Amino acid sequence: MDKSVITRVVTVAGGRFAPGHLGELTQQVPFEMVDAVLEQTCRFQRRVRDLPARVVVYLLLAGCLFADLGYSQVWRRLTAGLGVLPAAVPTASAMTQARRRLGPGPLRELFFLLRGPSPAAARWRGLLVVAIDGTIMTVADSAANLAVYSKQRGGATGGSSYPMLRLLVLVSCGTRTVIDAVFRPLSSGETTCAPLLFRSLHAGMLLLADRNFGAGFLAAQIAATKADFLIRVRTGTNSPKLPVLRRLPDGSWLSRFGGIPVRVIDAEVTIATRTGHATSGCRLVTTLADPARCPAGDLVILYHERWEIETAYLELKSTILGGRVLRARTPDGIEQEIYALLVTYQALRTAIADAAATAPGTDPDRASFTTALNAARDQVILAAGVTAGPAIDLAGTIGRLVLASLMPARRLRVSPRTVKRAISKYNARGKIDRTTYKATIAITITAPLDTGDKP
């Protein structure tokens, strides 16, 4: 009977540091970087324990890759590919104490080192296109967490079952890499948290934001960073006053918003499918005032790129976490876990962007995040690709698997924005059509009214 023998070389750190890796993603978060942040935050241990601080950092990151597993099972995956190398078998209590001893500082500093746009990030007319938005995340229902993070009140079900926090992220469109992030208790609104992210804006950026950020004081703060913006604002009774100062040939007009000069674009967007059509209005304000260089219709189309950040949140909350509650039971643990999640997400997104860059003309949007995540998990279990080989390999195993399973180019489709998994098993609104339809979109720029200061 024929047999095959497979011999594999595994290169990891020595001694008690061997379990401290993230498979091939270790090349995105190398040992030297982790050691540097441990030194910076005064968490570098002079006495080597069974769970050195560096190993605990990688344990936390691996815990995000395997979000459905407890840390003891995550540890077994970190050590599965080490073969005959001796490795500690820490108890759950020892791992809890090690995470508390580490604190959130090293993960926070690690995120600050890794954050930023990829070189392959989307640009429009030479501007780096970025988007800002917020989301809500649920945390473990413990007394310590409840002291900081409250439950959501009201609603048809009487409020949330778990404490919640608000996360705001600034992402680079196209590659969906994270430029900056901030989180606060749910009592802090998006407009309160948003200015904390403006520190990462600068000239050469174009910020996309939805109606929740359509406030004059925010527009003024964004303009002060020298970044441009394209923000949707409300219409109707609560719409901001946007007086017509000068009409432009493409139907848009110049105005003032938050004390700064802006250009206003009113558009009607008609979506037609085989079942019929629907038209809705859209009002955008922007600092891009030249209609020749930035036609109104082009800006309306560009605004759709804001949905890149919604996709990023889907990848974080659904693909990685699987809709689960954050596991930490203390506020410091929550901070540690969120930064670990952001670091892991950034490492995956950077690996995807690097792979796409090796195949000229490949749109990073076609890369499957799920494929990258599963490939990264496999590499952790095999302890493969922990250190770079002698030959330059920008794609790596993760990248090659992503490139081998590129998704088709996006089709123009629409789907009702409805809750797909309701809390109740009963349909409160009757039967809902959840079918996705192929669509055509028509955009019409509408000129301002002749009278009044609110077109």
Side-chain angles (χ1 to χ4, degrees):
M1 181 178 179
D2 293 337
K3 295 183 179 181
S4 298
V5 177
I6 299 174
T7 302
R8 194 166 56 88
V9 176
V10 174
T11 304
V12 293
R16 294 178 179 177
F17 292 95
H21 67 87
L22 203 61
E24 191 175 85
L25 288 184
T26 313
Q27 296 182 42
Q28 304 289 346
V29 194
F31 301 146
E32 297 80 6
M33 182 183 292
V34 174
D35 289 344
V37 298
L38 291 172
E39 190 75 45
Q40 179 184 347
T41 55
C42 302
R43 290 296 185 271
F44 196 86
Q45 296 171 329
R46 307 303 173 189
R47 180 170 67 89
V48 178
R49 304 170 180 262
D50 282 343
L51 283 173
R54 184 210 288 174
V55 174
V56 179
V57 169
Y58 286 112
L59 172 66
L60 286 161
L61 299 181
C64 296
L65 288 179
F66 300 98
D68 58 330
L69 303 179
Y71 282 115
S72 295
Q73 296 180 66
V74 174
W75 180 263
R76 285 197 282 273
R77 278 150 181 78
L78 287 172
T79 57
L82 301 183
V84 297
L85 290 178
V89 185
T91 63
S93 175
M95 285 187 278
T96 299
Q97 293 175 31
R99 298 197 310 275
R100 288 178 180 170
R101 196 161 52 238
L102 184 71
L107 277 302
R108 181 176 58 245
E109 296 304 318
L110 197 56
F111 169 69
F112 289 154
L113 282 177
L114 290 168
R115 67 190 177 107
S118 163
R123 293 185 178 271
W124 188 84
R125 306 292 198 273
L127 298 172
L128 177 66
V129 183
V130 301
I132 186 174
D133 204 0
T135 191
I136 292 174
M137 302 188 74
T138 51
V139 304
D141 191 1
S142 67
N145 284 341
L146 279 169
V148 176
Y149 303 111
S150 61
K151 296 182 180 181
Q152 193 172 37
R153 298 178 180 178
T157 59
S160 63
S161 300
Y162 289 92
M164 294 181 168
L165 60 81
R166 191 181 307 280
L167 172 68
L168 263 72
V169 173
L170 181 69
V171 303
S172 172
C173 296
T175 58
R176 297 198 281 277
T177 47
V178 179
I179 297 174
D180 206 349
V182 65
F183 61 94
R184 291 290 185 272
L186 197 60
S187 56
S188 297
E190 288 185 345
T191 56
T192 302
C193 298
L196 300 174
L197 297 180
F198 295 166
R199 62 193 176 190
S200 295
L201 297 177
H202 55 74
M205 283 183 169
L206 174 58
L207 176 68
L208 310 181
D210 66 14
R211 285 174 289 195
N212 285 341
F213 300 91
F217 75 95
L218 291 179
Q221 292 182 50
I222 296 169
T225 69
K226 307 301 181 183
D228 288 295
F229 61 75
L230 179 63
I231 303 175
R232 187 175 182 181
V233 296
R234 300 181 189 278
T235 56
T237 56
N238 294 323
S239 62
K241 293 185 177 182
L242 296 166
V244 180
L245 302 181
R246 179 186 163 196
R247 301 172 189 273
L248 298 175
D250 63 353
S252 61
W253 73 91
L254 300 182
S255 185
R256 295 191 71 82
F257 184 50
I260 61 170
V262 296
R263 177 178 165 211
V264 185
I265 301 168
D266 259 352
E268 288 186 349
V269 181
T270 301
I271 301 175
T273 69
R274 61 179 175 83
T275 62
H277 69 276
T279 300
S280 60
C282 176
R283 176 172 290 178
L284 304 174
V285 295
T286 180
T287 47
L288 300 174
D290 185 357
R293 181 171 178 266
C294 306
D298 291 357
L299 288 171
V300 175
I301 294 172
L302 174 66
Y303 179 73
H304 186 262
E305 293 298 313
R306 191 200 68 79
W307 278 92
E308 292 286 333
I309 195 168
E310 305 288 357
T311 304
Y313 282 139
L314 177 70
E315 292 165 347
L316 274 169
K317 297 169 63 175
S318 181
T319 309
I320 292 181
L321 289 178
R324 295 175 181 84
V325 174
L326 296 177
R327 65 177 95 200
R329 302 187 66 80
T330 65
D332 278 355
I334 290 295
E335 182 179 0
Q336 184 186 67
E337 187 174 353
I338 287 180
Y339 280 120
L341 181 64
L342 291 170
V343 167
T344 304
Y345 179 78
Q346 184 75 347
L348 283 164
R349 272 280 148 211
T350 303
I352 292 171
D354 289 347
T358 64
T362 300
D363 186 347
D365 275 343
R366 296 183 58 200
S368 168
F369 185 80
T370 301
T371 297
L373 176 61
N374 288 327
R377 289 168 173 166
D378 292 342
Q379 296 297 289
V380 169
I381 295 171
L382 294 172
V386 173
T387 58
I392 297 177
D393 185 7
L394 291 178
T397 300
I398 296 173
R400 281 188 289 277
L401 289 171
V402 167
L403 293 175
S405 57
L406 290 175
M407 297 183 291
R410 286 185 179 177
R411 294 172 291 163
L412 186 54
R413 297 178 297 168
V414 294
S415 179
R417 192 176 184 184
T418 57
V419 176
K420 292 189 176 181
R421 187 176 62 183
I423 295 173
S424 171
K425 64 181 179 179
Y426 301 104
N427 254 333
R429 294 184 294 174
K431 187 176 180 180
I432 299 173
D433 182 8
R434 305 188 192 280
T435 308
T436 297
Y437 296 101
K438 292 183 180 180
T440 58
I441 295 180
I443 298 172
T444 304
I445 306 300
T446 57
L449 302 176
D450 293 332
T451 59
D453 61 354
K454 287 201 296 182

